[in-house]
Amino acid sequence: MKNGAYYINNILIANKTYSLPSTYTPGLLPELNNAFEKLKNAAAEDGISLKIISGFRSYHSQNSIYNNYVARDGKKEADTYSARPGHSEHQTGLAIDVNSLMFDFGETKEGKWLQNHAHQYGFIIRYPEGKEAITGYRYEPWHLRYVGELSKELYNDGNWITLEEYLGITSNYQN
Ligand SMILES: [Zn+2]
């Protein structure tokens, strides 16, 4: 624990099992911003345009987002695509959403480019296709988590290893 946050093997974890305190407000961290600049420039050289559409989210803004979804779809459904406050990886300051929140983003040229190149710049596709039961989230081709050098190992030739698998941890709400 550091500032109320869980680190496992020096990796900050926010998932359905591990939460961050409401006071944890790092903002979008410089190491992520630097890595994203490199990712964006490399993409541009391949004719791919990337932009951050969602970065740091505070506990309080996640609280309003989640509660709006619960009001619209009910808690059970909301839990499949929106994090409860304290459980969003966006609160770590190490996660971003890029370009589009459409489920077919993974099939676009930008989505495919990310699948193949994000790991070269320290990012992972945090919620890969087919790993829903492990991460606790639907496939999110737009959600990138910055992990530094570890990204190359997790890439695993395109068959992403999730942080849950790598660290041997769960992602389940306790209630
Ligand atoms: Zn996201």
Side-chain angles (χ1 to χ4, degrees):
M1 296 277 276
K2 198 161 73 186
N3 301 322
Y6 289 92
Y7 286 80
I8 302 170
N9 292 7
N10 288 319
I11 300 167
L12 175 56
I13 289 294
N15 69 12
K16 290 186 174 181
T17 303
Y18 299 92
S19 65
L20 296 167
S22 61
T23 50
Y24 194 83
T25 51
L28 207 53
L29 292 168
E31 57 264 44
L32 180 149
N33 280 320
N34 294 338
F36 183 73
E37 275 304 303
K38 291 179 185 145
L39 179 76
K40 192 175 81 169
N41 293 339
E45 283 178 23
D46 288 345
I48 300 291
S49 173
L50 297 181
K51 67 166 192 288
I52 297 176
I53 57 169
S54 183
F56 174 74
R57 261 183 248 148
S58 71
Y59 182 99
H60 297 288
S61 66
Q62 187 66 30
N63 192 43
S64 348
I65 291 169
Y66 176 75
N67 286 330
N68 283 338
Y69 287 136
V70 169
R72 190 187 71 183
D73 292 339
K75 192 169 183 176
K76 189 162 185 262
E77 181 67 12
D79 278 339
T80 68
Y81 63 81
S82 179
R84 296 182 189 175
H87 295 271
S88 171
E89 201 170 53
H90 286 274
Q91 198 191 331
T92 65
L94 291 167
I96 49 176
D97 296 333
V98 298
N99 285 40
S100 163
L101 303 183
M102 302 296 290
F103 285 104
D104 60 2
F105 175 64
E107 301 306 314
T108 65
K109 67 181 197 302
E110 292 82 7
K112 286 178 179 164
W113 191 92
L114 281 175
Q115 280 284 349
N116 295 321
H117 298 282
H119 70 285
Q120 294 164 346
Y121 302 90
F123 291 96
I124 59 170
I125 304 288
R126 179 65 176 88
Y127 308 117
E129 197 164 21
K131 299 285 178 82
E132 290 82 356
I134 297 165
T135 63
Y137 289 97
R138 291 181 189 171
Y139 176 41
E140 292 193 4
W142 56 80
H143 180 107
L144 303 180
R145 162 69 193 263
Y146 181 72
V147 294
E149 280 297 307
L150 180 62
S151 61
K152 296 184 174 78
E153 184 174 343
L154 298 182
Y155 175 61
N156 191 30
D157 292 325
N159 184 20
W160 293 97
I161 299 165
T162 64
L163 285 180
E164 283 76 18
E165 293 166 300
Y166 179 74
L167 297 171
I169 59 173
T170 59
S171 180
N172 296 306
Y173 290 131
Q174 303 307 304
N175 56 57

